[in-house]
Amino acid sequence: MSDQVYIEDLGQHVDQEVTLKGWLYNKRSKGKLHFLIVRDGTGIAQTVVFKGDVSPELFELAGHLTQEASIIVRGQVRADERAPGGYEIGLTGLELVAAPTEEYPIQPQEHGTGFLMDHRHLWLRSRKQNAILRIRSEVIFAIHEFFHLRGFTHVDSPVFTPNACEGTTNLFEVDYFDDKAYLTQSGQLYAEASAMAFGKVYCFGPTFRAEKSKTRRHLTEFWMVEPEMAYGTLEDVMQLSEAFLCHIVARILEKRRPELEVLERDLAKLEAIQAPFPRLHYDDAVKMLNEGGIDFEWGGDFGAPDETLISEKYDRPVLIHHYPRAIKAFYMKPDAENDKLSLSVDVIAPEGVGEIIGGGQREDDLQVLEAKIAEHGLPEEAFKWYLDLRRYGSVPHSGFGLGVERTVAWICGVEHVRECIPFPRMLYRLTP
Amino acid sequence: MSDQVYIEDLGQHVDQEVTLKGWLYNKRSKGKLHFLIVRDGTGIAQTVVFKGDVSPELFELAGHLTQEASIIVRGQVRADERAPGGYEIGLTGLELVAAPTEEYPIQPQEHGTGFLMDHRHLWLRSRKQNAILRIRSEVIFAIHEFFHLRGFTHVDSPVFTPNACEGTTNLFEVDYFDDKAYLTQSGQLYAEASAMAFGKVYCFGPTFRAEKSKTRRHLTEFWMVEPEMAYGTLEDVMQLSEAFLCHIVARILEKRRPELEVLERDLAKLEAIQAPFPRLHYDDAVKMLNEGGIDFEWGGDFGAPDETLISEKYDRPVLIHHYPRAIKAFYMKPDAENDKLSLSVDVIAPEGVGEIIGGGQREDDLQVLEAKIAEHGLPEEAFKWYLDLRRYGSVPHSGFGLGVERTVAWICGVEHVRECIPFPRMLYRLTP
C-alpha cells in the first residue's frame, strides 16, 4: 500500500501522478469521455477517462465497470472547483481488482430504511452514511483528547455486573457459568470507585438497555462516556459539560468540514456552540413550559415535546439544573437549601435532539445513602462495595454521562440515532 | 476545584503554596513531626507537619488521622530528592473532610489475592494497582493516537451478534427480547465490512469469552483493538504491528516513567523495543523448538511453554508467520505458494507473556470462502452478509487484533492479567 494516496489527501498532490485504490461509486459516459466517480473510504473523486489518452482496451474496460467494482486507478491530480471535493484525476492507468458477481443491491434510487438496514454492511459505503460515521470517529477521538489533555485517567467500568444499577427493569440477563450476570446500563457506580482511586476519571464503553421503546432516540446498545471527579461539585459538572461540548463541536468543525457539507449541515448552527451555555433552574423550566402553553406540573420529568419547546428558545445547549429529588436516581445529592431538589443537571441539545448529558453531584454521606437504598427497596448487600466509598475517605464528587450516538445525531443534523452507530441494535434489529 | 494542584504537577509549583485534595495514604510520627503521606490519584506526596509551625489543634488533628481519611492539605512545595516523587510539602493548613467510619480493610501487610479482589474498589487505591491502571489508560490513549495519526477511521463493531464468529463454543448467550443474541468474541468480521466502506479502520471494545480456563492470561471480559485495512496484505499487517507496538511502548516510556518506577520495571527491557522485530517462519519456529529440546510436531499450535522458549531467544516481540491453515480460522487466506500454509501472523511478546497480537490476510475469493464455510460446518445463511463483501468489490485485505490487558501486563511486568483491568471478570469472579 506504500504508493497509495487517499482521496482526503489529494490536495497535497496537485499536478502529481497518484495511485488510488478504491471502488467505483458511480459512472457517466459522454462520447469520448468516461467519468468514473471513485470512492476509497476517505472521500470521492472524479476520474476522467479520455479516449485519446488511453489504450482502446482500457477505454472499453472503463466503460464496462459496474457499481462497486474494486479498482486501482492511476492518474494526474488537477485542481477543479466543479469536481466533488475540488480535485479531478486525469486517468492514465486502470486495474480492475474484482468485478461484482451480481448487481449491487443499493442503487442510487431511494430504498426503504428496512432494506438499507438489512444491508447495513453495504449501506456504510454510501456517501451520507460514510460522512456520519467519519464524524462519529472524530467525535470519539475528541472525547479521548479532551479528557487526556485535562489529566483524567481512563478507567473502564465492567460490562458484566452482578446487579442492577438503577433497578432491575430494562436489563439484559446473561448466563454467567452457573450464575446470572447483567449487562451494564451505566458505568457510573464503578466510575465513582475509580474517582476515589485516581482523582479525575472517565469510563467509555458500550451500555445496554433492554427497552421495548421504538423511538428515533433509542438503541439497545449504545456508547456512553462518563467522567467522574473526586472533590467535584454540581458547578464543576456544569462547567465541564460546557467545555466538553464546545471542544467536541470545535474539533468537528475543524477536522470534518467536508463531511458536514456532504450532510448539508447548517454550519452556522454549530459555530454558535460557544460558552457560556444558558442555565435554567428546573423551577424556571417549568414556568417556561407553562408560559409556552404546555400543561406541565411541577415535579414531573420532561418529555420530548417539553425538551423541544425549551431547546427552541436557545441557539446552544441548555443546562437544566436542580431537578426534583423524587425523579432522580437514589445516589443524587439533595440541595442543602431545598431538600425537595437535587444537585442534578441535564443538558438538552438544540434543534429538538433532546437530552445528551445527565449528571450531578453524588450523595457522599454514608447514613443518608443507606437510608436511600432502603427507601428504594434496593438490596443493601449488593451495594456494600458502593457504600464502602462513603465508609473510607468519602469526599464530595460529581460527574455526568454523555450518549455518543445522540451527540453525533445532533452534530450531523440526523433524525434517527440508528444511523449514528455502525451496526445498530434495536428492539427488532440484531443483524447484520 | 479551581485552586487544586495535582501531585503529578508538583514540579511546576516548587517554592509555591499549594492546595492538595486527597486521602491519607500513610503516616509516621517522630517527636515534634508528623509525616503525612498523601495520595490524590495522580501520585503520592510527603507532607511534613512541624509542631512549631502550626496550631496545637492542627498538630493534634494530624496526629489522629487514620488511613484513607479524606483531607485537604495546604503547604509550601520544596524539592527534596529523598521524598517519594522528589517533592515535599511543608504543611500550613489541614482540613479533615471525612474520617473513615471503620478501620480501612487494606493494611500495609500482605493480603491474599482473593481478599484484595473482593475489595477491588478499594485495592485500586494502592500504589501498584494505581500505577498499572494509569499505564493502561496511557496505553489506550496511545492506541487511539496511533490510528488517528495514520488516518484510520474508528468504527465500532457491535457487542450483540446474532451468531458465532468462530464456532459456538465459549460464547455468552443473552435473552434478546424473544430471540437469542451472543456477546462478541471479536469485532473482526464487522471490521472487514467497515474496511470496505472506510478503507483503513479499527474497532476497539470489550470482547467476551466464556472460557472455563483459570489461567493468568484469561479474562471473560477483555478489551481488544482490531485494525483492518482494505488493500492490505500480510506484509502490511506485519509492518503495522511492529510500528504499533513501538509507538505504544515509546509513549509509556515518555509519559509514565514514574509509574514504571513504582512497579520496579526494568526500563532497559522496554527501551529495547525498537523496529525491526525478528520474523520467524512457522517452519523455523518448529525447528527452533525441536532444537531447544521440545518434542513439537509440525502442524500443531504453540502452547505457553513453546511461546516462552521462542520469546526467550529475543529481546523484542517476535513475529511468527505462515502458520498451517488447519490451525487457523476459516477466513484466513492460504499462501499461494504453499496451500498448507496461511497468510497469518502472531506476535509473541518477550518475557514469557505470550501472544499479544494475532492477524493476517483474509480470504477475498467468494467461492473459496463459501467452500470454507461449508467445510467448517458453519451456517451459510448467517454469513450471507459477510460473503457479500466478496460479492461486491472484493479486495485483498488484512488486519490484526491486540489484547489490551496482555499488552499492559507485558509493559508493566505484571504476572496476571487480572490486575491489568479495573474490575476483572473471570470464571469465579463477577464482583464487585
Side-chain angles (χ1 to χ4, degrees):
Chain A
M1 313 199 333
S2 49
D3 60 341
Q4 180 181 1
V5 164
Y6 284 92
I7 290 171
E8 65 179 337
D9 300 324
L10 280 182
Q12 297 160 32
H13 298 273
V14 175
D15 298 327
Q16 292 174 17
E17 181 104 345
V18 299
T19 301
L20 299 183
K21 298 183 177 179
W23 298 265
L24 186 74
Y25 193 63
N26 209 341
K27 193 183 69 180
R28 286 180 299 125
S29 295
K30 199 180 158 190
K32 295 179 175 176
L33 291 169
H34 297 305
F35 296 94
L36 309 180
I37 313 295
V38 180
R39 67 168 191 88
D40 72 353
T42 73
I44 69 167
Q46 179 165 285
T47 307
V48 184
V49 194
F50 175 54
K51 200 169 184 175
D53 282 349
V54 298
S55 69
E57 296 75 29
L58 201 155
F59 190 77
E60 203 187 313
L61 173 64
H64 284 91
L65 292 176
T66 59
Q67 194 184 352
E68 285 302 312
S70 39
I71 49 177
I72 299 177
V73 159
R74 197 155 175 83
Q76 188 88 5
V77 181
R78 301 188 286 248
D80 187 332
E81 276 185 13
R82 298 161 305 173
Y87 305 96
E88 191 179 77
I89 290 172
L91 184 135
T92 55
L94 173 65
E95 184 192 328
L96 174 62
V97 178
T101 60
E102 296 167 43
E103 193 183 24
Y104 190 64
I106 302 180
Q107 299 298 318
Q109 93 260 8
E110 287 283 317
H111 294 278
T113 306
F115 178 86
L116 291 169
M117 278 291 167
D118 286 342
H119 293 83
R120 183 64 173 167
H121 54 294
L122 302 177
W123 191 26
L124 294 174
R125 305 179 185 186
S126 297
R127 253 193 122 186
K128 189 181 156 192
Q129 299 304 312
N130 181 281
I132 294 168
L133 292 172
R134 277 171 62 85
I135 288 172
R136 183 180 190 274
S137 169
E138 197 69 35
V139 165
I140 291 172
F141 189 75
I143 289 170
H144 287 294
E145 183 186 49
F146 178 83
F147 289 118
H148 192 77
L149 290 172
R150 290 177 175 241
F152 282 67
T153 303
H154 179 151
V155 187
D156 287 307
S157 294
V159 171
F160 284 134
T161 59
N163 14 62
C165 161
E166 298 172 46
T168 48
T169 46
N170 300 337
L171 276 180
F172 284 110
E173 189 179 276
V174 185
D175 288 321
Y176 195 85
F177 305 107
D178 301 330
D179 211 345
K180 292 284 180 197
Y182 302 92
L183 300 184
T184 182
Q185 289 189 300
S186 157
Q188 181 203 311
L189 303 196
Y190 291 95
E192 288 183 53
S194 303
M196 301 305 143
F198 300 90
K200 289 181 296 188
V201 301
Y202 70 106
C203 63
F204 192 1
T207 47
F208 305 88
R209 306 230 172 139
E211 281 176 288
K212 292 211 166 168
S213 40
K214 249 190 93 177
T215 83
R216 63 189 180 85
R217 293 183 187 179
H218 285 91
L219 296 164
T220 54
E221 171 184 335
F222 62 98
W223 286 71
M224 186 145 71
V225 55
E226 294 171 273
E228 191 75 28
M229 300 173 283
Y231 288 99
T233 61
L234 173 62
E235 177 61 29
D236 291 317
V237 160
M238 295 212 276
Q239 287 183 19
L240 191 75
S241 306
E242 189 177 84
F244 183 51
L245 293 175
C246 287
H247 175 87
I248 293 173
V249 172
R251 193 53 93 236
I252 298 307
L253 280 169
E254 181 194 344
K255 304 271 191 182
R256 286 289 169 258
R257 203 166 278 254
E259 285 77 10
L260 292 170
E261 282 161 10
V262 167
L263 299 172
E264 298 173 358
R265 183 68 169 115
D266 183 347
L267 298 184
K269 290 221 159 92
L270 295 179
E271 282 157 357
I273 309 306
Q274 303 280 349
F277 292 170
R279 294 181 176 197
L280 199 60
H281 192 287
Y282 174 85
D283 294 352
D284 296 320
V286 172
K287 268 184 220 149
M288 186 182 281
L289 290 176
N290 290 336
E291 283 162 13
I294 293 185
D295 183 23
F296 186 94
E297 210 169 318
W298 193 99
D301 205 356
F302 302 127
D306 310 318
E307 290 178 351
T308 300
L309 184 142
I310 293 168
S311 72
E312 277 170 356
K313 306 269 181 197
Y314 306 98
D315 65 345
R316 56 199 81 191
V318 51
L319 282 64
I320 305 182
H321 54 89
H322 287 95
Y323 284 77
R325 270 177 73 172
I327 57 169
K328 287 291 178 185
F330 72 94
Y331 48 68
M332 283 290 185
K333 194 171 172 71
D335 182 7
E337 284 162 32
N338 180 347
D339 190 55
K340 285 209 167 80
L341 301 178
S342 63
L343 300 179
S344 54
V345 60
D346 283 0
V347 182
I348 313 296
E351 304 174 66
V353 171
E355 181 198 325
I356 52 172
I357 282 181
Q361 192 170 332
R362 323 304 186 184
E363 182 53 70
D364 53 326
D365 184 280
L366 178 62
Q367 289 175 345
V368 174
L369 193 59
E370 281 174 337
K372 274 306 200 75
I373 285 171
E375 185 188 319
H376 281 71
L378 297 168
E380 180 161 343
E381 179 56 26
F383 288 93
K384 189 184 169 301
W385 70 268
Y386 184 64
L387 289 163
D388 274 356
L389 309 178
R390 282 75 182 171
R391 279 188 195 99
Y392 310 110
S394 190
V395 297
H397 60 289
S398 60
F400 67 74
L402 168 127
V404 170
E405 286 73 25
R406 283 192 190 178
T407 304
V408 172
W410 163 48
I411 291 175
C412 290
V414 164
E415 185 79 0
H416 201 300
V417 290
R418 68 186 163 206
E419 294 183 36
C420 299
I421 189 165
F423 297 94
R425 297 298 184 240
M426 295 173 289
L427 179 51
Y428 298 115
R429 167 65 57 193
L430 187 56
T431 56
Chain B
M1 312 200 336
S2 50
D3 60 341
Q4 180 180 1
V5 163
Y6 284 91
I7 289 171
E8 65 177 339
D9 300 324
L10 279 183
Q12 298 161 32
H13 298 273
V14 175
D15 298 328
Q16 292 173 19
E17 181 104 344
V18 299
T19 300
L20 298 183
K21 298 184 177 180
W23 297 266
L24 186 74
Y25 192 63
N26 209 340
K27 193 184 70 180
R28 285 179 300 124
S29 295
K30 198 179 157 188
K32 295 179 175 174
L33 291 169
H34 296 306
F35 296 95
L36 310 180
I37 313 295
V38 180
R39 67 167 192 91
D40 72 353
T42 72
I44 68 167
Q46 179 164 287
T47 307
V48 184
V49 193
F50 175 55
K51 198 169 185 175
D53 283 349
V54 296
S55 68
E57 296 76 26
L58 200 155
F59 190 77
E60 202 186 314
L61 173 64
H64 284 92
L65 292 176
T66 60
Q67 195 185 350
E68 285 301 313
S70 38
I71 49 177
I72 298 176
V73 159
R74 197 155 176 84
Q76 189 88 5
V77 182
R78 302 188 284 249
D80 187 332
E81 278 185 12
R82 299 161 305 174
Y87 304 95
E88 192 179 76
I89 291 172
L91 184 135
T92 54
L94 173 66
E95 183 192 330
L96 174 62
V97 177
T101 58
E102 295 167 43
E103 193 182 24
Y104 189 63
I106 302 179
Q107 299 297 318
Q109 93 261 8
E110 288 282 317
H111 294 278
T113 306
F115 178 87
L116 292 169
M117 279 292 167
D118 287 341
H119 294 82
R120 184 63 174 167
H121 55 293
L122 302 177
W123 192 24
L124 294 175
R125 304 179 184 187
S126 296
R127 254 194 121 185
K128 189 181 156 192
Q129 299 305 312
N130 181 281
I132 295 169
L133 292 173
R134 277 170 62 86
I135 288 172
R136 182 180 190 276
S137 169
E138 198 69 34
V139 165
I140 292 173
F141 189 74
I143 290 170
H144 287 293
E145 184 186 49
F146 177 83
F147 290 117
H148 191 77
L149 289 172
R150 289 177 175 241
F152 283 68
T153 302
H154 179 152
V155 187
D156 287 306
S157 293
V159 172
F160 285 134
T161 60
N163 15 62
C165 162
E166 300 173 42
T168 48
T169 45
N170 299 337
L171 276 179
F172 284 109
E173 189 179 277
V174 185
D175 288 320
Y176 194 85
F177 305 107
D178 301 330
D179 210 343
K180 291 284 178 197
Y182 301 92
L183 300 184
T184 182
Q185 289 189 299
S186 157
Q188 181 202 312
L189 303 197
Y190 291 95
E192 289 184 52
S194 303
M196 301 304 142
F198 300 90
K200 289 181 297 189
V201 301
Y202 70 106
C203 63
F204 192 0
T207 48
F208 305 88
R209 306 232 172 137
E211 282 178 288
K212 291 209 167 168
S213 40
K214 250 191 92 178
T215 84
R216 64 190 179 84
R217 294 183 185 179
H218 286 91
L219 297 165
T220 54
E221 171 184 335
F222 63 99
W223 285 71
M224 185 146 71
V225 56
E226 294 172 274
E228 191 76 28
M229 299 174 282
Y231 288 98
T233 61
L234 172 61
E235 177 61 29
D236 291 316
V237 160
M238 295 209 277
Q239 288 183 20
L240 191 76
S241 306
E242 189 177 84
F244 182 51
L245 293 175
C246 287
H247 175 86
I248 293 173
V249 172
R251 192 55 92 236
I252 298 306
L253 280 168
E254 180 194 345
K255 303 270 192 183
R256 287 289 170 258
R257 204 166 276 255
E259 287 76 8
L260 292 170
E261 282 162 9
V262 166
L263 299 171
E264 296 173 2
R265 182 69 170 114
D266 183 347
L267 297 186
K269 291 221 159 90
L270 295 180
E271 283 156 356
I273 309 306
Q274 302 281 347
F277 292 170
R279 294 180 177 199
L280 199 59
H281 192 288
Y282 175 85
D283 293 353
D284 297 321
V286 172
K287 270 184 218 149
M288 186 182 280
L289 291 176
N290 291 335
E291 284 162 12
I294 292 186
D295 185 21
F296 185 94
E297 210 168 318
W298 194 99
D301 205 355
F302 302 129
D306 311 318
E307 291 177 350
T308 300
L309 185 141
I310 294 168
S311 73
E312 277 171 355
K313 305 270 181 197
Y314 305 99
D315 65 345
R316 55 199 81 188
V318 51
L319 281 64
I320 306 181
H321 53 88
H322 287 93
Y323 283 78
R325 269 177 74 172
I327 57 169
K328 287 291 178 184
F330 71 94
Y331 48 70
M332 282 289 184
K333 194 172 174 70
D335 182 6
E337 284 162 31
N338 180 348
D339 190 55
K340 285 211 166 80
L341 300 179
S342 64
L343 299 180
S344 54
V345 60
D346 284 359
V347 182
I348 313 297
E351 302 174 67
V353 171
E355 181 200 324
I356 52 172
I357 282 182
Q361 192 170 330
R362 324 303 186 184
E363 182 54 68
D364 53 327
D365 184 278
L366 178 63
Q367 288 175 346
V368 174
L369 194 58
E370 280 174 339
K372 275 306 203 70
I373 285 172
E375 185 188 318
H376 281 72
L378 297 168
E380 181 161 341
E381 179 56 27
F383 287 93
K384 188 183 169 302
W385 70 268
Y386 184 65
L387 289 163
D388 273 356
L389 309 178
R390 281 75 181 172
R391 279 188 194 98
Y392 309 111
S394 189
V395 297
H397 60 288
S398 61
F400 67 75
L402 169 127
V404 170
E405 286 73 24
R406 283 193 189 179
T407 304
V408 172
W410 163 48
I411 291 175
C412 291
V414 163
E415 186 78 0
H416 203 300
V417 290
R418 68 186 163 208
E419 293 182 37
C420 299
I421 190 165
F423 297 93
R425 297 297 184 240
M426 294 174 289
L427 179 51
Y428 299 115
R429 168 64 59 194
L430 187 55
T431 55

